[in-house]
Amino acid sequence: MRIGDLAARTGLTTKTIRFYEDSGLLPAPPRTSGGYRDYPGHTTTRLAFIRDAQRAGLTLAEIRSILALRDDGHAPCTHVASLINEHLDDIDRRMAELAATREALRALAGPRRNYQPRRLRRGRHLHHPQPRTPVGQAPHCCPNS
């Protein structure tokens, strides 16, 4: 199958497919007598795996390591489970950091601790106009200061 057909079947661009090949994620296919790449049919499955793994947050290096195990005839299940657990731990860590940041911002907000995000009504933001600071004066961050 030529690269254009492969791209159409997988929803990827020919440039992306060539990048995966250059990155070692996709083995170089045989060439036709005219020099065109001639991908085997099972390449669509490999490209779908690469795309799905990227969407799940795996890096290209991690995907390459999984594919290398598979290509060597080993079941990559344990390795994949380990990578997934690492990513889940990272997500949990980032969520905890974001929660701490949210609490720090709420503490800084002081009396506006129960801040609610701007609501949308009929496609427009409702907002509370802030008094403008006269030109040449520094803005005050808090009323009555």
Side-chain angles (χ1 to χ4, degrees):
M1 164 183 356
R2 289 197 179 164
I3 194 167
D5 297 330
L6 183 60
R9 286 188 185 190
T10 60
L12 299 170
T13 65
T14 57
K15 185 176 180 178
T16 299
I17 294 170
R18 286 187 198 101
F19 172 77
Y20 289 160
E21 188 179 324
D22 292 341
S23 299
L25 295 166
L26 197 59
R31 301 278 182 153
T32 65
S33 59
Y36 294 103
R37 291 172 168 88
D38 188 21
Y39 292 95
H42 62 82
T43 306
T44 57
T45 304
R46 188 176 184 108
L47 288 172
F49 171 77
I50 294 168
R51 184 190 58 233
D52 293 345
Q54 278 188 290
R55 284 185 183 151
L58 297 179
T59 66
L60 293 181
E62 291 167 334
I63 296 167
R64 190 178 304 107
S65 69
I66 294 166
L67 292 171
L69 285 171
R70 186 189 294 171
D71 292 345
D72 288 342
H74 303 294
C77 303
T78 304
H79 181 59
V80 171
S82 173
L83 290 172
I84 289 171
N85 286 329
E86 287 175 22
H87 279 269
L88 287 171
D89 290 345
D90 185 49
I91 289 169
D92 290 341
R93 181 190 52 76
R94 287 188 285 164
M95 287 176 66
E97 288 172 358
L98 287 171
T101 300
R102 181 181 55 225
E103 292 309 313
L105 289 170
R106 284 184 175 157
L108 286 173
R112 292 191 66 194
R113 207 174 316 233
N114 294 325
Y115 170 75
Q116 296 295 317
R118 293 179 180 173
R119 304 257 189 250
L120 292 178
R121 182 181 291 163
R122 293 189 188 130
R124 301 185 71 187
H125 287 286
L126 296 178
H127 64 279
H128 303 285
Q130 298 295 321
R132 292 183 180 241
T133 302
V135 176
Q137 289 184 4
H140 294 283
C141 77
C142 303
N144 304 325
S145 56

